[in-house]
Amino acid sequence: MHYAVDAGDHHRCRTTESIAKTSGHSTPLACVRPAPRFCKPTRRTTPPDTTITTPPNDPPTVSATPEITSADKLRRLQQSLDETQALSLLGSWEWDVASGALSWSAQTFRNFGLEPGPSAPSFEDYLSRLHPEDRELVINTVQTAVVSGRPFDYFHRVIRTDGGVRTMHARGRLVSNPGDPPRMVGTGQDVTDMLTLQAESAVLAAEADASQRSKFLSDGTDDLYATMDYEQRLAELARHVVPAMADWCAIDTVQDDGSFKRVTVVHPDPAKIAMALELEKEYPEDTTQPSSRTQVLASGVPAFFPSIGRELIEAGAKDARHAELIHSLGLRSFITIPLIARGNKLGTLTVVMAESGRNYNEKDLELMTELGRRSAVAIDNARLHQEVHKKNSLLGELLEEQNATNETLSAQAVEMEMAQESLRDAAQELERSNRELIEAEARYKFLSDAIPVQVWTSLPDGSLDYVSGRTAEFFGLSAEQLVGAGWTNVVHPDDLAATGAAWSQSLTSGEHYETEFRLLSSTGDWLWHLGRAIPWRDSDEKIVRWFGSNTNIHAQKLLSEERERLKGEAEAANKAKMEFLAAMSHELRTPLNAVNGYADLLLMEIPGPLVGDQRDFIARIQRSGKFLLGLINDVLSFAKIDAGALEVRREEVKIGEVLDSIHTLVEPQIRAKNQVYRYHGSDDGCSVLGDLDKIEQVVINLLTNASKFTPEGGSIELSCTSEKGIVHIAVKDDGRGIAADQIEKIFDPFVQVDRKSNASSQQGVGLGLAISRELARAMGGDLKCESAPGAGSTFTFSLPTK
């Protein structure tokens, strides 16, 4: 590959004497062009490839391992060096500046196309083998290195004996040690093939890059001319540019008034697009800046910023906040291309590099300029097509008036006739639509008059513009009278203010209107109505009309008032019942407590000793009194539940402690009836939410019922388990059981199943289970029963855990 050298570096070749004079030495120096790429010289006293022999020593002694001499080591090192240089095409040389003696390595000979020999060519012979155009460069470079003592590194060409031209990479430096004559050492490497490969790679890379850029332009712009909706295609073009050639892409077109219209802006992150739009809104573009869209389009010259630094941003920012907002977008490089076609300034194309970390270069500027040119042509073509289309339409009308005489005008006349046919079709369609509209209006009027609801419409300001015939008939007025007067004269004076306020609120907010008011009917009665209205909006969400109705709810209103009255009476009756029960319970409890008290005193024989059957009679009196007191308490509890006046606490209750205390209380009573009683306890620390007193009441009632309906010798079990946030307290007996169709009935008040077949069931009035279930449900739990005839019963009392 030819190595180009700047002509300014060429100097006239000096003689070896002049170099010697310059260096301060009397021995002539040889002129040197850029030498082959030299290896670092190895100083030696014998020529390369010279075999070094050593004088024989005394006869060797017998040894298991021959001794390696220094000469052998030197020879091996020399061979290794030669092989390394041959592999890398890197030869070395050494030049004695004072004597002019030049020594080459074997590879240096081969780089010049020569067979390695014991001595190097003379300096003049060396110069003769250089390319004529490079000799002066070599001489000047060597002279400079000798005078300055600085190393050199350059390329030059040599001409081999077979005529071939090879490029060498030469490196060297002056070595001047105290007491030794100065000498220069260097290397020369044949880089011809490497440079050729690099050049070919560069060409291929350039071709690939050009192909990619051409494909990018083709893919992005081919469809620009396929449709006249150029804004849609420009938006697709912007999405094509991002992320292939930009992190941001914005396209703006110029409107008739000179302002810019943002056709599209593309970025992968919608949040950053919103940030950029907010930034542009808060800090409008300064049209006087050279980089502004206005100035770029006016000058026709792209704005190109390969690198956007903090200084550049702060210089263009209006204040510190403006600068920080720009910094937050992470802009690195941008290009704004003017979109100009046929001298028409159509808009701008802006591309920006940001978070990808890339920067634009001159080739990117060329690519974006071409993309902008094609985009401008597409926009101009689309606008031209629109303009031509308008002119063709106008021409068609003129040609129709002049009765066209040539083929082109005739064809356009045919087109015009087709257009007229379309217009006739459109007119017929419009006429049909008008008929349908008239029919729809008639149907609407019919429906509004037929349905048992008053229908009306109003303008956006709230003034009536239509009422149905039924509406006018209700008021005994004509539709025109009612529309003209409005609602003021027909709404009850007591309801007028509230109705007007609700209507004004709806007119202001656009919310649905709904209120109740009384209207004056044609019979002179004030009847309750429910007024409703909804807005009808156009495509811009602007209210164009209100559609409303008035529904007669007078009967429902009276019924509601009647329900409220009956509800009040029922509440009063419940209250009276509760007061009566409370008074009666007090009146009954007082003598019963006295009877029970005196019975206790008699049994304690405080008045005197009892004789005969007195103790048994008094005990019966005592049991009957306590039973009667229990019945009174049950009736009072049920009345409170029925009236919704029962108070139930919701607090944490340690269920184990409750069951333990109940177990201690009921075990002696159950065992006294010769029944087997088992208590399985509960989990330690298990708590429920409920009322302690009510929980004890329910469990004791269940155990009492189990004992009551279980024969002597039967068994009763009390257990407690916890599952999925629910505690289950179970009371199981092996009594006669309950039929499946009777299980739910036992929880009804005043119901006792099979009362006659069991004498024990005749005790009580059948409120215990009804009260127990209501108490359980009031605490957020439940009470259920599982039973079968002859298999006993299991009552499960469930409560939620803490």
Side-chain angles (χ1 to χ4, degrees), residues 56-78:
N57 296 326
D58 295 334
T61 60
V62 178
S63 175
T65 303
E67 182 180 357
I68 300 175
T69 65
S70 298
D72 292 334
K73 293 181 179 179
L74 181 60
R75 183 170 57 255
R76 292 181 182 179
L77 289 174
Q78 183 63 44

mmCIF file of all heavy atoms in Angstrom, residues 56-78:
data_model
loop_
_atom_site.group_PDB
_atom_site.id
_atom_site.type_symbol
_atom_site.label_atom_id
_atom_site.label_comp_id
_atom_site.label_asym_id
_atom_site.label_seq_id
_atom_site.Cartn_x
_atom_site.Cartn_y
_atom_site.Cartn_z
ATOM 1 N N PRO A 56 39.637 -25.652 21.687
ATOM 2 C CA PRO A 56 39.443 -26.901 22.438
ATOM 3 C C PRO A 56 40.087 -26.842 23.792
ATOM 4 O O PRO A 56 41.111 -26.191 23.986
ATOM 5 C CB PRO A 56 40.087 -27.946 21.535
ATOM 6 C CG PRO A 56 41.094 -27.184 20.725
ATOM 7 C CD PRO A 56 40.531 -25.813 20.505
ATOM 8 N N ASN A 57 39.502 -27.513 24.714
ATOM 9 C CA ASN A 57 40.015 -27.569 26.083
ATOM 10 C C ASN A 57 40.725 -28.902 26.275
ATOM 11 O O ASN A 57 40.898 -29.715 25.339
ATOM 12 C CB ASN A 57 38.870 -27.437 27.071
ATOM 13 C CG ASN A 57 38.193 -26.060 26.963
ATOM 14 O OD1 ASN A 57 38.895 -25.082 26.688
ATOM 15 N ND2 ASN A 57 36.901 -26.018 27.137
ATOM 16 N N ASP A 58 41.122 -29.093 27.480
ATOM 17 C CA ASP A 58 41.729 -30.388 27.798
ATOM 18 C C ASP A 58 40.722 -31.486 27.555
ATOM 19 O O ASP A 58 39.508 -31.248 27.542
ATOM 20 C CB ASP A 58 42.174 -30.404 29.271
ATOM 21 C CG ASP A 58 43.295 -29.381 29.503
ATOM 22 O OD1 ASP A 58 44.002 -29.079 28.528
ATOM 23 O OD2 ASP A 58 43.372 -28.869 30.644
ATOM 24 N N PRO A 59 41.214 -32.706 27.380
ATOM 25 C CA PRO A 59 40.253 -33.808 27.150
ATOM 26 C C PRO A 59 39.196 -33.825 28.251
ATOM 27 O O PRO A 59 39.505 -33.675 29.427
ATOM 28 C CB PRO A 59 41.135 -35.052 27.198
ATOM 29 C CG PRO A 59 42.488 -34.555 26.833
ATOM 30 C CD PRO A 59 42.612 -33.182 27.378
ATOM 31 N N PRO A 60 37.956 -33.961 27.848
ATOM 32 C CA PRO A 60 36.875 -33.924 28.846
ATOM 33 C C PRO A 60 36.882 -35.158 29.719
ATOM 34 O O PRO A 60 37.283 -36.223 29.298
ATOM 35 C CB PRO A 60 35.611 -33.861 28.006
ATOM 36 C CG PRO A 60 35.995 -34.514 26.712
ATOM 37 C CD PRO A 60 37.457 -34.180 26.478
ATOM 38 N N THR A 61 36.460 -34.908 30.900
ATOM 39 C CA THR A 61 36.302 -36.045 31.820
ATOM 40 C C THR A 61 34.936 -36.640 31.625
ATOM 41 O O THR A 61 33.995 -35.989 31.160
ATOM 42 C CB THR A 61 36.463 -35.572 33.264
ATOM 43 O OG1 THR A 61 35.454 -34.588 33.507
ATOM 44 C CG2 THR A 61 37.827 -34.982 33.515
ATOM 45 N N VAL A 62 34.826 -37.888 32.013
ATOM 46 C CA VAL A 62 33.537 -38.571 31.853
ATOM 47 C C VAL A 62 32.536 -37.988 32.870
ATOM 48 O O VAL A 62 32.832 -37.921 34.055
ATOM 49 C CB VAL A 62 33.697 -40.093 32.062
ATOM 50 C CG1 VAL A 62 32.340 -40.781 31.945
ATOM 51 C CG2 VAL A 62 34.680 -40.649 31.053
ATOM 52 N N SER A 63 31.388 -37.553 32.340
ATOM 53 C CA SER A 63 30.349 -36.951 33.218
ATOM 54 C C SER A 63 28.979 -37.413 32.756
ATOM 55 O O SER A 63 28.751 -37.591 31.556
ATOM 56 C CB SER A 63 30.427 -35.419 33.180
ATOM 57 O OG SER A 63 29.384 -34.851 33.920
ATOM 58 N N ALA A 64 28.102 -37.550 33.660
ATOM 59 C CA ALA A 64 26.732 -37.989 33.313
ATOM 60 C C ALA A 64 25.981 -36.923 32.530
ATOM 61 O O ALA A 64 25.173 -37.215 31.671
ATOM 62 C CB ALA A 64 25.960 -38.332 34.582
ATOM 63 N N THR A 65 26.219 -35.624 32.801
ATOM 64 C CA THR A 65 25.524 -34.519 32.116
ATOM 65 C C THR A 65 26.568 -33.600 31.528
ATOM 66 O O THR A 65 27.363 -32.995 32.259
ATOM 67 C CB THR A 65 24.651 -33.727 33.101
ATOM 68 O OG1 THR A 65 23.733 -34.610 33.705
ATOM 69 C CG2 THR A 65 23.908 -32.610 32.376
ATOM 70 N N PRO A 66 26.589 -33.419 30.140
ATOM 71 C CA PRO A 66 27.598 -32.533 29.537
ATOM 72 C C PRO A 66 27.393 -31.103 30.035
ATOM 73 O O PRO A 66 26.259 -30.643 30.193
ATOM 74 C CB PRO A 66 27.317 -32.648 28.043
ATOM 75 C CG PRO A 66 26.522 -33.892 27.888
ATOM 76 C CD PRO A 66 25.757 -34.070 29.150
ATOM 77 N N GLU A 67 28.470 -30.420 30.244
ATOM 78 C CA GLU A 67 28.404 -29.031 30.712
ATOM 79 C C GLU A 67 28.067 -28.112 29.553
ATOM 80 O O GLU A 67 28.626 -28.251 28.466
ATOM 81 C CB GLU A 67 29.732 -28.639 31.330
ATOM 82 C CG GLU A 67 29.737 -27.202 31.887
ATOM 83 C CD GLU A 67 31.075 -26.832 32.505
ATOM 84 O OE1 GLU A 67 31.955 -27.709 32.541
ATOM 85 O OE2 GLU A 67 31.199 -25.689 32.942
ATOM 86 N N ILE A 68 27.076 -27.177 29.779
ATOM 87 C CA ILE A 68 26.696 -26.201 28.749
ATOM 88 C C ILE A 68 27.591 -24.983 28.915
ATOM 89 O O ILE A 68 27.583 -24.301 29.950
ATOM 90 C CB ILE A 68 25.233 -25.800 28.890
ATOM 91 C CG1 ILE A 68 24.326 -27.026 28.739
ATOM 92 C CG2 ILE A 68 24.837 -24.749 27.865
ATOM 93 C CD1 ILE A 68 22.865 -26.746 28.979
ATOM 94 N N THR A 69 28.321 -24.672 27.852
ATOM 95 C CA THR A 69 29.279 -23.564 27.919
ATOM 96 C C THR A 69 28.576 -22.247 27.645
ATOM 97 O O THR A 69 27.439 -22.210 27.151
ATOM 98 C CB THR A 69 30.405 -23.774 26.893
ATOM 99 O OG1 THR A 69 29.798 -23.706 25.584
ATOM 100 C CG2 THR A 69 31.087 -25.125 27.086
ATOM 101 N N SER A 70 29.248 -21.179 27.943
ATOM 102 C CA SER A 70 28.722 -19.836 27.671
ATOM 103 C C SER A 70 28.517 -19.645 26.194
ATOM 104 O O SER A 70 27.578 -18.972 25.751
ATOM 105 C CB SER A 70 29.671 -18.774 28.228
ATOM 106 O OG SER A 70 29.789 -18.897 29.626
ATOM 107 N N ALA A 71 29.416 -20.236 25.386
ATOM 108 C CA ALA A 71 29.280 -20.107 23.927
ATOM 109 C C ALA A 71 28.001 -20.777 23.452
ATOM 110 O O ALA A 71 27.298 -20.263 22.569
ATOM 111 C CB ALA A 71 30.507 -20.726 23.236
ATOM 112 N N ASP A 72 27.702 -21.966 24.063
ATOM 113 C CA ASP A 72 26.463 -22.644 23.687
ATOM 114 C C ASP A 72 25.243 -21.788 24.040
ATOM 115 O O ASP A 72 24.284 -21.673 23.269
ATOM 116 C CB ASP A 72 26.358 -23.990 24.404
ATOM 117 C CG ASP A 72 27.406 -24.983 23.900
ATOM 118 O OD1 ASP A 72 27.825 -24.823 22.739
ATOM 119 O OD2 ASP A 72 27.767 -25.888 24.677
ATOM 120 N N LYS A 73 25.268 -21.228 25.244
ATOM 121 C CA LYS A 73 24.144 -20.364 25.655
ATOM 122 C C LYS A 73 23.998 -19.180 24.720
ATOM 123 O O LYS A 73 22.897 -18.815 24.316
ATOM 124 C CB LYS A 73 24.354 -19.857 27.082
ATOM 125 C CG LYS A 73 24.283 -20.959 28.129
ATOM 126 C CD LYS A 73 24.480 -20.372 29.513
ATOM 127 C CE LYS A 73 24.390 -21.448 30.595
ATOM 128 N NZ LYS A 73 24.597 -20.888 31.945
ATOM 129 N N LEU A 74 25.134 -18.569 24.328
ATOM 130 C CA LEU A 74 25.084 -17.415 23.440
ATOM 131 C C LEU A 74 24.537 -17.808 22.083
ATOM 132 O O LEU A 74 23.729 -17.078 21.480
ATOM 133 C CB LEU A 74 26.495 -16.821 23.310
ATOM 134 C CG LEU A 74 26.604 -15.579 22.409
ATOM 135 C CD1 LEU A 74 25.721 -14.455 22.952
ATOM 136 C CD2 LEU A 74 28.054 -15.115 22.328
ATOM 137 N N ARG A 75 24.983 -18.981 21.617
ATOM 138 C CA ARG A 75 24.512 -19.440 20.301
ATOM 139 C C ARG A 75 22.995 -19.693 20.331
ATOM 140 O O ARG A 75 22.275 -19.357 19.401
ATOM 141 C CB ARG A 75 25.277 -20.712 19.921
ATOM 142 C CG ARG A 75 24.904 -21.220 18.502
ATOM 143 C CD ARG A 75 25.833 -22.327 18.033
ATOM 144 N NE ARG A 75 25.851 -23.457 18.947
ATOM 145 C CZ ARG A 75 26.859 -23.731 19.788
ATOM 146 N NH1 ARG A 75 27.928 -22.942 19.836
ATOM 147 N NH2 ARG A 75 26.817 -24.787 20.600
ATOM 148 N N ARG A 76 22.538 -20.306 21.419
ATOM 149 C CA ARG A 76 21.104 -20.582 21.525
ATOM 150 C C ARG A 76 20.275 -19.287 21.584
ATOM 151 O O ARG A 76 19.210 -19.168 20.979
ATOM 152 C CB ARG A 76 20.822 -21.429 22.757
ATOM 153 C CG ARG A 76 21.374 -22.846 22.645
ATOM 154 C CD ARG A 76 21.030 -23.648 23.895
ATOM 155 N NE ARG A 76 21.595 -24.992 23.825
ATOM 156 C CZ ARG A 76 21.462 -25.913 24.786
ATOM 157 N NH1 ARG A 76 20.755 -25.616 25.859
ATOM 158 N NH2 ARG A 76 22.000 -27.111 24.641
ATOM 159 N N LEU A 77 20.771 -18.339 22.342
ATOM 160 C CA LEU A 77 20.082 -17.047 22.412
ATOM 161 C C LEU A 77 20.039 -16.386 21.053
ATOM 162 O O LEU A 77 19.021 -15.781 20.660
ATOM 163 C CB LEU A 77 20.757 -16.136 23.441
ATOM 164 C CG LEU A 77 20.589 -16.513 24.917
ATOM 165 C CD1 LEU A 77 21.440 -15.598 25.793
ATOM 166 C CD2 LEU A 77 19.132 -16.403 25.321
ATOM 167 N N GLN A 78 21.147 -16.482 20.303
ATOM 168 C CA GLN A 78 21.204 -15.879 18.978
ATOM 169 C C GLN A 78 20.187 -16.545 18.049
ATOM 170 O O GLN A 78 19.485 -15.889 17.282
ATOM 171 C CB GLN A 78 22.624 -16.010 18.406
ATOM 172 C CG GLN A 78 22.776 -15.323 17.037
ATOM 173 C CD GLN A 78 22.541 -13.824 17.140
ATOM 174 O OE1 GLN A 78 23.047 -13.189 18.066
ATOM 175 N NE2 GLN A 78 21.762 -13.270 16.228
#
